[in-house]
Amino acid sequence: MWDSESESTNYNGVLTLNNGVQTDEFEQRGHSWYVATDIPSDLLVQIGDFSFHLHKPPLLSKSGRMNRIVRESNEIGSKTVILDELPGGAESFELVAKFCYGIAIDLTAAVISGLRCAAEYLEMTEDFEEGNLISKTEAFLNHVIKSSWKESILVLKSCEKLSPWAENLQIVRRCSESVASKACADRNGVRWRYTGKHVSSPNGRRVFPDWWCEDVSILNIEHFVRVITAIKAKGMRDQLVGSAIMHYAIKMLPGMVKEGLTGSVEDGAGSSNSATTAGGGWNNCRLHMIIAMNKGDHSSSPQGKRQRMIIESLISIIPLENDSVSCSFLLRLLRLAMMVDVAPALITELEKRVGMQLEQATLADLLIPSYNRSETMYDVDLFQRVLEHFLIQETTEISSPEGSRGGNDSNAKNKVARLVDSYLNEVSKDKNLSLTKFQVLAEALPESARSCDDGIYRAIDSYLKAHPMLQEHDRRRLCRVMDIQKLTVDACTHAAQNERLPLRVVVQVIFSEQIKISNSLANATFRASREPNYQPIIANRKTLLEETPHSFQEGWATAKKDISTLKFDLETVKTKYLELQHDMESLQRQCDKVTKLKQQSAWSSGWKKLSKITKITTIEDTGMGSQSNTEHTVRTPRRWRNSLS
């Protein structure tokens, strides 16, 4: 008889069932399995490429579905049963068959979820036999999930190919909640999979708060989202949740790691706000453009679809707190999102998040290639949208005192202003960048955001170099974005000799610097007259800088903060001004000469001839003193007529 007579469950992982049949084990020959018994098989189960030569009684005594399938097969005279839809596949069915034959099977966290789903599919309930496979696997599953962090992760990992059975049987939910509870619980009481991050301390091993991030990063995106959602619901700090999201993105999205860096996105190591550092991005932009040209193929490929799904899922679970993830991470995620055509609504959400913490960004991360095949090499429109979100956030914080940054507000604007200037300096090298886009970006920030306009001057000069054919009125329009009064002495010196600038701007720079120097000299003279013990050169340069009016501090510091240097600069400016004035006078004289020449015409020569004849007549009249006035009067008109003829 095939009915079982005794059964037992060992929670160390061995499950046995005795049914009174003498069997040793299964034998595998290629893709076929055979029962080691003298009784010939009367049932063939086919699952994919694998076949199982079995007997009907052991399976029919424990499976409701097998009873129905075999009955239907007998009606059509077939001994073959196809179970391609069995969750867990041939691996799980092998364990099911061994259980039915009473062969001991080794239950582990890696196979328990598949075996539980297969038992549910085959309807191996208590209605057929007490202690059937469903109850056995359910008991072991609950024991594993509750007791061990490591095995809970492995069970959840094994559920990836068991959808929707693992979801319907609540295996994913139970494992996710178990992992979340253990991640938020006392870390010293958790059985680990990775020893990972720990340091020695007088009290023993100290565990870092993000110890669980590495473990959950082995999960697929669906289960990772479930775990993170459960962890957030249990009150985990947003920074730790963000740390797990960044760690997962680095592991699953290769493009999240900076080129040439081995560090993670949590820090900005190796980044710089200078245009020099960003130059590498410009040199590598050809690679980005190649990617952009093939973007359509990449986004529709299986890898592109998978990356798009991961990015969209990560965006949806990023905590709302500003500093939960770094701005560098957000920008690199935004770069990948643009590449694989993530949904526009999620792109906008990412742009808002970047704008909320734009002052933390680096120039290298802001230089995002234009993947939408626009004219410019970098996506200037995207940066403009991010900047607008930053300005909206600043306006909201000002109008809401409880959400204001307080003293950090102006500091944030200053940092963003430097970023904008550096960004403009880099993208201005693109010959396809229009003057309007440059001007809109340069004027987006309020005037108070920049205490010095040297950065915007460098960007203007770079734009003029890349666009040598720019018309004069466009050059003047370009220079209007710069406040000459905010240029340092070094910038003014460079501008005064810059042939690319319009002449009017150069003159304004010279006059502005002359006024600054004159005011500084006047201020120093005034102090000397009011203070008997005043020394023109002070040993403490810091004190001199503090006592100088704010509007002249930068120029004073650069000019070595002493009167002799200021006088030298004044003489230099005067000399340049006189040279310009001399050039202008020479130009004016040449213009006057050209004008006079143009006014001369053909009829003017006739008047010259008439003037000559009149002069001769006057001489003759003077030599003939004896003739009367009447004769002179008559002769003169005749000569007049002859000359005209």
Side-chain angles (χ1 to χ4, degrees):
M1 294 182 60
W2 291 93
D3 295 336
S4 61
E5 296 179 354
S6 62
E7 59 186 11
S8 63
T9 301
N10 186 338
Y11 283 109
N12 290 327
V14 178
L15 186 150
T16 61
L17 182 142
N18 298 323
N19 54 20
V21 178
Q22 187 67 33
T23 58
D24 295 326
E25 58 182 7
F26 277 28
E27 296 178 355
Q28 184 178 10
R29 304 168 190 171
H31 286 180
S32 299
W33 290 87
Y34 298 88
V35 181
T37 180
D38 296 334
I39 303 175
S41 64
D42 57 356
L43 178 65
L44 176 63
V45 178
Q46 190 77 29
I47 303 177
D49 296 334
F50 292 88
S51 57
F52 295 83
H53 301 266
L54 307 174
H55 305 84
K56 293 179 181 178
L59 274 72
L60 299 183
S61 65
K62 296 177 176 59
S63 171
R65 183 179 289 265
M66 288 300 298
N67 272 276
R68 293 196 304 274
I69 292 176
V70 170
R71 185 168 58 250
E72 294 172 358
S73 299
N74 290 336
E75 292 177 358
I76 60 176
S78 174
K79 294 184 179 181
T80 302
V81 174
I82 299 177
L83 296 178
D84 288 338
E85 297 180 355
L86 179 76
E91 181 181 1
S92 294
F93 186 78
E94 177 194 349
L95 298 177
V96 170
K98 289 181 178 180
F99 172 81
C100 293
Y101 277 90
I103 299 175
I105 57 178
D106 186 16
L107 297 183
T108 64
V111 302
I112 188 60
S113 57
L115 190 58
R116 172 68 182 89
C117 293
E120 188 72 22
Y121 177 85
L122 295 172
E123 301 174 10
M124 302 178 71
T125 65
E126 301 295 299
D127 295 338
F128 291 88
E129 186 176 81
E130 185 178 356
N132 208 344
L133 188 57
I134 288 180
S135 62
K136 297 296 184 183
T137 53
E138 187 68 23
F140 183 80
L141 186 63
N142 288 331
H143 171 75
V144 166
I145 291 176
K146 291 180 180 179
S147 64
S148 171
W149 161 271
K150 167 187 174 180
E151 295 182 342
S152 296
I153 293 289
L154 291 178
V155 171
L156 196 55
K157 178 68 176 175
S158 67
C159 291
E160 294 178 0
K161 298 180 180 180
L162 298 173
S163 181
W165 288 91
E167 287 282 355
N168 296 337
L169 295 175
Q170 304 296 316
I171 299 176
V172 173
R173 180 189 62 79
R174 286 181 287 172
C175 286
S176 298
E177 292 182 353
S178 173
V179 169
S181 298
K182 291 177 174 62
C184 298
D186 181 12
R187 298 180 292 275
N188 293 322
V190 177
R191 291 167 57 189
W192 296 38
R193 179 182 180 188
Y194 300 101
T195 55
K197 302 177 180 179
H198 66 275
V199 295
S200 301
S201 65
N203 298 326
R205 188 177 67 180
R206 180 171 64 88
V207 183
F208 284 90
D210 60 348
W211 61 271
W212 50 276
C213 295
E214 175 65 25
D215 286 9
V216 298
S217 67
I218 70 170
L219 304 174
N220 69 359
I221 185 61
E222 294 89 352
H223 295 160
F224 177 78
V225 170
R226 293 287 294 271
V227 170
I228 293 298
T229 302
I231 287 177
K232 290 169 65 177
K234 294 185 180 298
M236 177 71 77
R237 287 192 294 118
D238 289 342
Q239 287 79 4
L240 292 178
V241 174
S243 178
I245 293 173
M246 290 190 289
H247 190 92
Y248 187 88
I250 294 173
K251 195 165 187 176
M252 296 297 177
L253 301 171
M256 292 301 297
V257 180
K258 286 185 178 181
E259 296 180 4
L261 295 178
T262 57
S264 64
V265 297
E266 287 88 338
D267 52 55
S271 301
S272 174
N273 290 339
S274 66
T276 303
T277 303
W282 184 269
N283 294 332
N284 293 330
C285 203
R286 181 175 299 177
L287 173 62
H288 295 305
M289 294 304 294
I290 293 174
I291 296 175
M293 293 174 62
N294 298 325
K295 185 194 70 165
D297 298 336
H298 177 72
S299 60
S300 60
S301 65
Q303 182 181 3
K305 292 179 179 178
R306 178 176 176 273
Q307 288 185 348
R308 180 166 60 250
M309 181 182 64
I310 292 175
I311 293 172
E312 291 178 347
S313 300
L314 293 179
I315 295 173
S316 66
I317 60 174
I318 295 176
L320 296 178
E321 186 178 346
N322 274 1
D323 296 329
S324 58
V325 293
S326 67
C327 188
S328 179
F329 168 80
L330 291 173
L331 282 167
R332 271 173 270 171
L333 193 64
L334 180 58
R335 180 194 296 258
L336 292 180
M338 297 291 292
M339 186 188 301
V340 298
D341 281 335
V342 166
L346 294 176
I347 292 287
T348 302
E349 179 64 25
L350 264 184
E351 292 173 355
K352 289 181 180 179
R353 295 299 302 265
V354 173
M356 291 170 64
Q357 49 196 102
L358 184 58
E359 69 275 9
Q360 303 173 10
T362 63
L363 176 59
D365 290 327
L366 287 171
L367 293 173
I368 297 177
S370 183
Y371 295 111
N372 57 0
R373 299 180 183 178
S374 66
E375 294 181 355
T376 56
M377 192 164 292
Y378 289 120
D379 200 334
V380 180
D381 294 332
L382 183 147
F383 179 72
Q384 182 179 343
R385 293 193 299 269
V386 168
L387 186 59
E388 289 173 355
H389 290 308
F390 169 79
L391 295 173
I392 293 173
Q393 174 71 13
E394 291 293 312
T395 304
T396 304
E397 290 182 349
I398 292 175
S399 60
S400 176
E402 62 273 10
S404 178
R405 304 186 196 186
N408 294 331
D409 179 69
S410 60
N411 189 32
K413 286 184 178 179
N414 291 337
K415 290 181 179 179
V416 171
R418 289 193 293 270
L419 276 174
V420 172
D421 295 347
S422 299
Y423 184 86
L424 285 173
N425 187 39
E426 190 66 27
V427 300
S428 62
K429 302 171 186 176
D430 188 353
K431 296 181 179 180
N432 293 325
L433 179 66
S434 67
L435 177 59
T436 301
K437 286 189 176 183
F438 184 98
Q439 188 175 7
V440 168
L441 271 182
E443 296 177 343
L445 293 172
E447 294 183 2
S448 58
R450 291 185 178 91
S451 59
C452 174
D453 271 20
D454 283 14
I456 197 68
Y457 168 69
R458 283 192 292 269
I460 291 173
D461 189 44
S462 178
Y463 190 88
L464 291 174
K465 286 181 182 178
H467 302 78
M469 305 305 294
L470 204 63
Q471 298 295 325
E472 183 70 13
H473 66 276
D474 287 333
R475 292 173 183 268
R476 291 197 296 268
R477 173 186 166 193
L478 177 66
C479 292
R480 289 194 193 104
V481 304
M482 170 181 60
D483 187 354
I484 295 175
Q485 301 294 330
K486 292 183 179 180
L487 295 179
T488 63
V489 172
D490 290 339
C492 287
T493 302
H494 185 277
Q497 305 174 24
N498 194 343
E499 298 178 355
R500 289 180 290 272
L501 295 178
L503 181 60
R504 181 182 299 178
V505 175
V506 174
V507 173
Q508 290 175 351
V509 169
I510 293 174
F511 274 126
S512 173
E513 189 61 20
Q514 185 177 13
I515 291 173
K516 287 182 182 180
I517 296 173
S518 299
N519 289 339
S520 298
L521 287 173
N523 181 66
T525 304
F526 177 76
R527 287 177 175 272
S529 62
R530 294 293 299 271
E531 301 177 13
N533 297 327
Y534 175 76
Q535 297 293 333
I537 302 178
I538 303 175
N540 190 345
R541 292 177 177 264
K542 182 178 180 182
T543 304
L544 175 61
L545 184 61
E546 292 174 351
E547 293 179 355
T548 305
H550 178 71
S551 60
F552 310 121
Q553 283 186 9
E554 294 181 355
W556 191 273
T558 309
K560 300 182 180 179
K561 307 178 190 67
D562 54 60
I563 301 302
S564 60
T565 304
L566 290 174
K567 288 182 178 180
F568 176 77
D569 292 339
L570 179 58
E571 293 300 326
T572 303
V573 171
K574 286 181 178 179
T575 302
K576 292 178 181 177
Y577 175 70
L578 291 174
E579 291 176 357
L580 287 173
Q581 189 175 25
H582 180 267
D583 293 340
M584 291 178 66
E585 291 175 354
S586 299
L587 289 173
Q588 186 63 41
R589 286 194 297 270
Q590 292 178 7
C591 289
D592 294 342
K593 186 177 180 180
V594 172
T595 303
K596 290 179 179 180
L597 291 174
K598 288 183 178 179
Q599 289 176 351
Q600 295 178 354
S601 59
W603 59 267
S604 63
S605 61
W607 286 106
K608 290 182 180 179
K609 183 176 182 181
L610 177 61
S611 176
K612 182 177 180 181
I613 294 173
T614 304
K615 183 177 179 183
I616 295 172
T617 303
T618 305
I619 295 173
E620 290 177 354
D621 291 343
T622 304
M624 298 174 63
S626 61
Q627 294 183 358
S628 63
N629 293 335
T630 304
E631 293 177 351
H632 174 70
T633 304
V634 174
R635 189 181 298 116
T636 301
R638 185 168 57 252
R639 291 179 179 273
W640 176 269
R641 287 193 296 271
N642 292 336
S643 66
L644 288 178
S645 62

